[in-house]
Amino acid sequence: MCIYNGNRSYLNVFEKEVTMKFGHFDDKEYEYVITNYNTPLPWINYFGQDGFFSLMSNTCGGYMFYKDAKLRRITRFRYNNVPRDYGGRYYYINDNGTIWNPGFLPMKTKLDSYMCRHGLGYTIFESEKNKLECELLCFVPLNDLCEINQLTLTNNSNETKNITLHGVVEWCLWNAVDDQTNFQRNWNIGEVEVDDTTIYHKTEYRERRDHYAFYHTNVKHDGFDSDLDTFMGLYNSWCDPSAVLNKTSYNSVASGWAPIASHMFKLEIKPGESKTIIFQTGYVENPEDKKWEKLHVINKEKAYELQNKYSNEEQVLQAFNELKKKWVNLLSTLNVKSDNPKFDRMVNIWNQYQCMVTFNMSRSASYYESGTGRGMGFRDSCQDLLGFLHLIPEKSRERIKDIASIQFEDGSTYHQYQPLTKRGNADIGGGFNDDPLWLIAATSQYIKETGDYSILNDPTPFNNKEGSEKPLIDHLRASLNYIITHKGPHGLPLIGRADWNDCLNLNCFSKTPGESFQTASNFESGKAESVFIAGMFVLYGKEFATILKNIGNDKEAADILDEVNAVEEATVKYGWDGEWFIRAYDAFSNKVGSHECEDGQIFVEPQGFCTMARIGERLGYGKKALDSVEKILTNDYGVEILHPCYKEYHLELGEVSSYPMGYKENGSVFCHNNPWIVIANTVIGNNERAFDVYRRNCPAYLEEVSEIHKTEPYIYSQTIAGRDAKNYGEAKNSWLTGTASWTMYAASQAILGIKPDYDGLMIDPHLPKEIKHAKVVRVFRGVKYNISITNNSSGKYQMTIDNKSIDGKIIPYNKDLTEVNVNITL
Ligand code: GLC
Ligand code: GLC
């Protein structure tokens, strides 16, 4: 459906007859309930918190891994499979020849009713076919390395049913890349052990691995399979596995080829009766000297322990309730009740939830990120903290140290690290010159949230080298110093491989197909500069100066501010195009993102960041820049990353010009930078526009156009095709995007204006007229603030605490209080 009418103004899709929903929000249960399995794309959910992670789609597809989606993959997933999204943990119910699955796939048998409830860390399927009801509860318990699938069948008919049930998972041979490439070896190494409740996957355990996985049931099975080809039949698929069709199992013991785990049950279920089976996929590590029970027999002690913990329904229910309780507690740290339910549900539930997932996964494992390409990004992980810190300050501290540990002494840094080893990733290397500054963003936010400056003293190594530890504050110094010592002809920061925009590769000059734009450097100009990094430097340089002042280093703070001023001046002089900020200077010092260019005349990133940094504020730059953003870049779904899209490949610009027009970095709504525009608008006091941009992008508002938008309506996606794209409005790459964190930050700190600050909690709301009342509960450094905001849009600000008028916008932190009642009128 192409709604773009050919000029730069946008049509309001929301007034068109294109709405189609596939489910609804259940805010009370914190769930999104999918009632139509034919979603436009798989709509997925995540389980797990500390080591065992799972992805599950609305058709029961997905995969599991331990800590690292590349190196420790537990179950197999084929990303570009045909059909899409086949492979998961599947339950086949054969009821008198009618074979169906609670999640619709893989059999695709039409269900009489279907519901998939994606909740926080769990998914429940509730389906029915021919008066047989199935409830399947799936989750990863809080403190254990396993996924529970509890399946209950209830016979709602008047006759006894004889059911054959198969449960099945397919093992991955651990290293997910090797698993998909090295078949000459892999088809020889698969090994399992089987008893009458459990199939153990122990490939490579005999040699260098200390871990195995298992698929267990709490009752004895009536048969099993552990060899894929036997279970399926060589030319069959998940839609017609031989064992299932024949209501049998072959008791196959895998040796090489593709090991799987399948348990079969013959169940007699009387009218009105229910039967429950608990399936468990678990992961176990053993110390070297405890690996074996005897020759070739693995030590199962820990597995038994895990199995016994979830062997009955009460245990499962208890673990499930603990998980739910944990989320309710976590989310109580920040809660808003306003007259806008969509805003509330995003802030209170889904946006925070997505922040947790991006914190855990970075950009590694989703349905779009294969978990094999990227480790944890330096820049990505720092930004992920911004939206999530209030929920888990302790974990954040550890994360900041992990990230800082891949930095080099000169302040530059590896771009990524693998979560399992925590070492910098040499394949991608470094040279992304925005990276170092994000460390200041994350650390300053940590201090503001916790008030704990001691993090600055944490001994932190460079490049993980033992003995190289320096206090974390030296890493922040190194970060700034790197920018100060790497400037180009206009006194602006050098861009290196790229800045936040991975695709603006100004020193790449790639002509070789397949060459990575991010790592290739065929012409190292030493000249290409980034106005975006200039904006970051000014913003975070000032932030660091404030920290220095707060700890009594006035002299150093003043020195830093001199450097900030120099970059600010350079930006005012060379970074302004008349109506907006320029994006960069290329390797020949030509402008990028200027009206002088043929394509790519305006980019969104510097408009957001330079306005947040208040560069050229006296001259009205921010206001002008944001007017241009509104006029030129805004469409139905938010703000496009640039305009006009590049029509041709530009050697001197790199990957940005490689994408077809309107996609990804070449002119889509790259959602990650939309919240910068929201925040920037609040900085210049344009509250209506701030909320307008927020709303355009917000998944809860896009639910009604799911047919166009396609990805999950409860979660942000990375990119929404722009007006120049053929599929305008179509989103891709849901879940793992910095959008989550930055939008959370924009909604809570800019729109609601609840800002942790060094000395207390600042409350500086920028609500649009349509939100007249908001009651916010915020727990900040252990004190509970009940904040009631009345928005008369009067332009006047008044704060009272326990009915006493207060000057200014900061509530000084007082550790002796437990609860503070604040009233704000605007
Ligand atoms: C991806 C990357 C992020 C980058 C962005 C823009 O989201 O994960 O690091 O900033 O693309 O290129
Ligand atoms: C590609 C993508 C970009 C992503 C990068 C990660 O360049 O377009 O969004 O950040 O790959 O390496």
Side-chain angles (χ1 to χ4, degrees):
M1 206 143 335
C2 185
I3 287 164
Y4 175 44
N5 66 354
N7 65 44
R8 297 310 295 168
S9 69
Y10 48 81
L11 291 170
N12 196 340
V13 286
F14 301 95
E15 284 163 12
K16 303 259 147 179
E17 293 277 316
V18 289
T19 66
M20 190 176 184
K21 289 178 28 171
F22 297 82
H24 57 265
F25 287 93
D26 182 341
D27 293 339
K28 240 180 76 228
E29 292 295 323
Y30 297 2
E31 287 173 353
Y32 191 81
V33 185
I34 302 165
T35 47
N36 177 350
Y37 39 73
N38 271 313
T39 50
L41 282 170
W43 285 2
I44 71 165
N45 194 13
Y46 283 83
F47 317 148
Q49 27 280 318
D50 280 322
F52 195 106
F53 291 107
S54 303
L55 288 80
M56 180 172 263
S57 71
N58 63 306
T59 55
C60 225
Y63 55 99
M64 312 173 208
F65 59 91
Y66 172 73
K67 280 196 180 163
D68 189 315
K70 176 180 178 184
L71 300 176
R72 210 53 66 82
R73 186 75 66 106
I74 296 171
T75 60
R76 183 173 282 159
F77 191 78
R78 300 168 181 87
Y79 293 85
N80 51 4
N81 208 6
V82 180
R84 196 187 272 277
D85 193 21
Y86 269 56
R89 31 334 228 168
Y90 286 142
Y91 296 94
Y92 293 92
I93 300 159
N94 192 332
D95 174 8
N96 199 19
T98 302
I99 308 172
W100 59 282
N101 313 98
F104 177 61
L105 292 187
M107 292 305 293
K108 293 202 279 188
T109 304
K110 197 168 173 298
L111 302 176
D112 298 337
S113 73
Y114 156 93
M115 217 184 254
C116 165
R117 314 179 72 98
H118 280 323
L120 308 185
Y122 68 90
T123 293
I124 302 171
F125 292 91
E126 289 169 18
S127 313
E128 188 168 307
K129 181 76 188 171
N130 297 343
K131 300 227 150 74
L132 181 64
E133 192 185 307
C134 176
E135 191 198 271
L136 176 63
L137 163 66
C138 309
F139 68 102
V140 170
L142 283 181
N143 300 311
D144 284 315
L145 302 179
C146 63
E147 181 185 296
I148 303 294
N149 296 172
Q150 178 175 280
L151 184 136
T152 303
L153 290 171
T154 305
N155 183 355
N156 291 329
S157 79
N158 302 324
E159 281 154 33
T160 297
K161 285 185 182 269
N162 287 298
I163 305 294
T164 310
L165 171 73
H166 287 85
V168 56
V169 299
E170 182 181 1
W171 302 118
C172 179
L173 303 177
W174 303 115
N175 179 329
V177 172
D178 194 71
D179 182 69
Q180 293 296 312
T181 48
N182 195 9
F183 300 103
Q184 60 81 27
R185 170 178 162 88
N186 292 346
W187 283 345
N188 296 284
I189 62 174
E191 289 188 288
V192 297
E193 270 177 50
V194 185
D195 62 32
D196 49 18
T197 58
T198 314
I199 294 159
Y200 296 89
H201 176 228
K202 58 171 189 179
T203 300
E204 290 188 342
Y205 187 77
R206 264 187 318 98
E207 24 122 349
R208 292 156 296 172
R209 294 193 181 275
D210 61 1
H211 42 272
Y212 61 81
F214 64 81
Y215 186 55
H216 166 79
T217 73
N218 67 331
V219 284
K220 283 188 184 173
H221 57 221
D222 298 307
F224 68 91
D225 274 296
S226 66
D227 176 62
L228 180 71
D229 289 338
T230 311
F231 174 78
M232 292 272 192
L234 188 56
Y235 294 113
N236 292 8
S237 73
W238 292 112
C239 317
D240 54 359
S242 165
V244 173
L245 297 188
N246 294 315
K247 294 196 196 176
T248 188
S249 59
Y250 305 108
N251 298 347
S252 57
V253 177
S255 177
W257 298 113
I260 60 159
S262 165
H263 297 287
M264 182 204 56
F265 299 89
K266 297 279 186 189
L267 304 171
E268 188 190 82
I269 313 179
K270 303 217 171 64
E273 195 192 2
S274 292
K275 285 205 166 152
T276 297
I277 300 182
I278 299 161
F279 295 83
Q280 182 189 36
T281 309
Y283 171 88
V284 169
E285 269 174 16
N286 277 333
E288 189 62 36
D289 58 339
K290 298 223 170 78
K291 274 175 72 170
W292 301 102
E293 189 187 308
K294 56 182 186 214
L295 183 69
H296 294 171
V297 178
I298 59 180
N299 175 355
K300 304 190 184 66
E301 257 168 62
K302 281 194 185 168
Y304 293 151
E305 239 171 72
L306 209 49
Q307 293 163 7
N308 290 335
K309 274 183 89 169
Y310 302 96
S311 62
N312 63 48
E313 286 171 68
E314 290 76 62
Q315 290 170 317
V316 169
L317 188 68
Q318 199 194 334
F320 179 56
N321 285 337
E322 278 165 16
L323 175 70
K324 283 192 101 167
K325 213 163 77 208
K326 179 184 153 188
W327 269 107
V328 171
N329 277 342
L330 258 184
L331 295 181
S332 64
T333 309
L334 170 64
N335 184 278
V336 55
K337 205 164 169 12
S338 76
D339 34 23
N340 185 322
K342 287 184 176 155
F343 180 69
D344 294 358
R345 92 166 39 117
M346 287 314 296
V347 172
N348 294 341
I349 306 171
W350 295 100
N351 201 170
Q352 299 200 62
Y353 182 54
Q354 188 177 0
C355 285
M356 187 223 42
V357 172
T358 55
F359 174 82
N360 285 336
M361 303 283 133
S362 189
R363 305 297 170 268
S364 74
S366 73
Y367 265 37
Y368 306 87
E369 302 278 11
S370 67
T372 64
R374 298 205 234 178
M376 311 284 283
F378 190 101
R379 155 203 312 141
D380 293 332
S381 297
C382 283
Q383 290 173 86
D384 289 345
L385 283 168
L386 301 179
F388 195 51
L389 238 157
H390 63 288
L391 296 181
I392 43 132
E394 332 71 52
K395 273 194 178 181
S396 306
R397 183 178 191 141
E398 191 188 320
R399 175 65 60 83
I400 289 172
K401 271 187 72 175
D402 286 349
I403 299 170
S405 304
I406 61 165
Q407 192 177 25
F408 298 105
E409 255 158 277
D410 70 351
S412 67
T413 170
Y414 277 116
H415 195 46
Q416 297 171 3
Y417 67 96
Q418 285 305 129
L420 207 60
T421 62
K422 297 194 172 170
R423 302 276 144 173
N425 189 337
D427 294 344
I428 169 115
F432 296 79
N433 285 356
D434 63 317
D435 271 338
L437 292 172
W438 294 113
L439 188 62
I440 300 177
T443 310
S444 59
Q445 198 57 37
Y446 173 86
I447 298 174
K448 287 178 180 177
E449 181 67 42
T450 59
D452 178 6
Y453 285 87
S454 73
I455 188 175
L456 295 172
N457 304 327
D458 279 358
T460 312
F462 288 100
N463 190 17
N464 279 299
K465 257 202 235 97
E466 231 176 284
S468 70
E469 292 81 2
K470 289 264 171 68
L472 182 74
I473 192 168
D474 284 348
H475 284 256
L476 305 190
R477 289 189 173 111
S479 288
L480 284 176
N481 204 43
Y482 188 80
I483 312 297
I484 294 167
T485 52
H486 291 78
K487 288 194 206 151
H490 300 93
L492 295 166
L494 291 176
I495 196 167
R497 306 259 54 77
D499 59 23
W500 172 87
N501 190 331
D502 270 337
C503 297
L504 199 59
N505 316 116
L506 304 183
N507 296 304
C508 173
F509 292 83
S510 178
K511 282 186 176 170
T512 310
E515 186 170 62
S516 160
F517 290 104
Q518 269 81 52
T519 53
S521 75
N522 298 304
F523 173 58
E524 208 56 62
S525 70
K527 259 175 145 178
E529 298 165 288
S530 161
V531 176
F532 172 77
I533 301 181
M536 278 188 87
F537 182 83
V538 172
L539 186 65
Y540 296 125
K542 285 187 208 161
E543 196 72 67
F544 189 58
T546 306
I547 292 177
L548 288 170
K549 276 189 212 148
N550 291 351
I551 59 172
N553 287 4
D554 286 355
K555 166 78 177 70
E556 195 185 351
D559 292 347
I560 299 269
L561 288 177
D562 286 344
E563 297 291 346
V564 165
N565 285 339
V567 172
E568 191 164 356
E569 270 168 36
T571 312
V572 167
K573 202 156 164 201
Y574 300 110
W576 182 249
D577 196 52
E579 298 293 321
W580 56 78
F581 291 97
I582 290 171
R583 179 63 176 84
Y585 284 92
D586 71 15
F588 311 105
S589 287
N590 293 324
K591 291 176 187 165
V592 180
S594 152
H595 70 284
E596 294 165 23
C597 308
E598 190 187 328
D599 290 326
Q601 294 180 348
I602 172 171
F603 279 68
V604 70
E605 306 95 308
Q607 321 315 328
F609 249 81
C610 294
T611 306
M612 287 198 260
R614 300 178 187 273
I615 294 178
E617 194 172 44
R618 285 175 297 113
L619 306 163
Y621 282 8
K623 195 179 166 311
K624 272 193 202 160
L626 296 179
D627 282 345
S628 302
V629 167
E630 158 90 4
K631 215 162 62 203
I632 306 170
L633 295 177
T634 304
N635 74 21
D636 293 288
Y637 306 99
V639 177
E640 291 165 357
I641 191 170
L642 60 81
H643 179 76
C645 303
Y646 291 104
K647 294 192 264 313
E648 284 164 17
Y649 176 53
H650 289 253
L651 200 56
E652 78 287 5
L653 300 179
E655 187 171 3
V656 67
S657 60
S658 76
Y659 282 111
M661 290 163 67
Y663 293 105
K664 289 279 273 183
E665 280 89 341
N666 191 17
S668 77
V669 174
F670 208 93
C671 301
H672 186 146
N673 48 45
N674 277 233
W676 300 345
I677 299 301
V678 174
I679 301 164
N681 269 303
T682 65
V683 167
I684 64 160
N686 197 336
N687 300 353
E688 295 309 313
R689 208 193 269 152
F691 196 75
D692 180 69
V693 173
Y694 172 84
R695 181 184 55 70
R696 280 174 200 277
N697 222 235
C698 179
Y701 281 90
L702 299 172
E703 188 191 17
E704 321 234 309
V705 291
S706 285
E707 197 192 12
I708 298 173
H709 181 69
K710 292 200 168 162
T711 51
E712 296 90 334
Y714 40 95
I715 287 302
Y716 284 92
S717 295
Q718 181 200 54
T719 172
I720 306 176
R723 282 166 293 184
D724 287 319
K726 185 160 163 297
N727 301 321
Y728 170 47
E730 183 181 85
K732 285 191 187 123
N733 202 359
S734 55
W735 284 95
L736 303 186
T737 159
T739 317
S741 197
W742 271 107
T743 308
M744 191 63 217
Y745 185 97
S748 62
Q749 300 207 23
I751 296 174
L752 287 172
I754 317 284
K755 281 190 202 171
D757 209 336
Y758 297 103
D759 299 325
L761 191 62
M762 180 192 273
I763 307 189
D764 184 18
H766 289 273
L767 294 172
K769 289 203 183 81
E770 68 173 272
I771 299 184
K772 299 219 157 20
H773 297 282
K775 282 196 183 313
V776 186
V777 176
R778 173 67 150 91
V779 179
F780 172 67
R781 300 184 198 168
V783 182
K784 186 171 169 200
Y785 294 82
N786 303 308
I787 305 157
S788 168
I789 309 171
T790 307
N791 178 24
N792 302 322
S793 302
S794 66
K796 287 197 207 99
Y797 177 99
Q798 218 215 336
M799 169 156 67
T800 58
I801 296 180
D802 294 325
N803 294 324
K804 272 193 256 67
S805 248
I806 299 287
D807 285 338
K809 295 181 178 174
I810 295 191
I811 311 168
Y813 174 63
N814 179 346
K815 67 171 172 11
D816 299 329
L817 298 174
T818 48
E819 209 158 326
V820 179
N821 296 313
V822 189
N823 272 298
I824 309 272
T825 47
L826 301 168

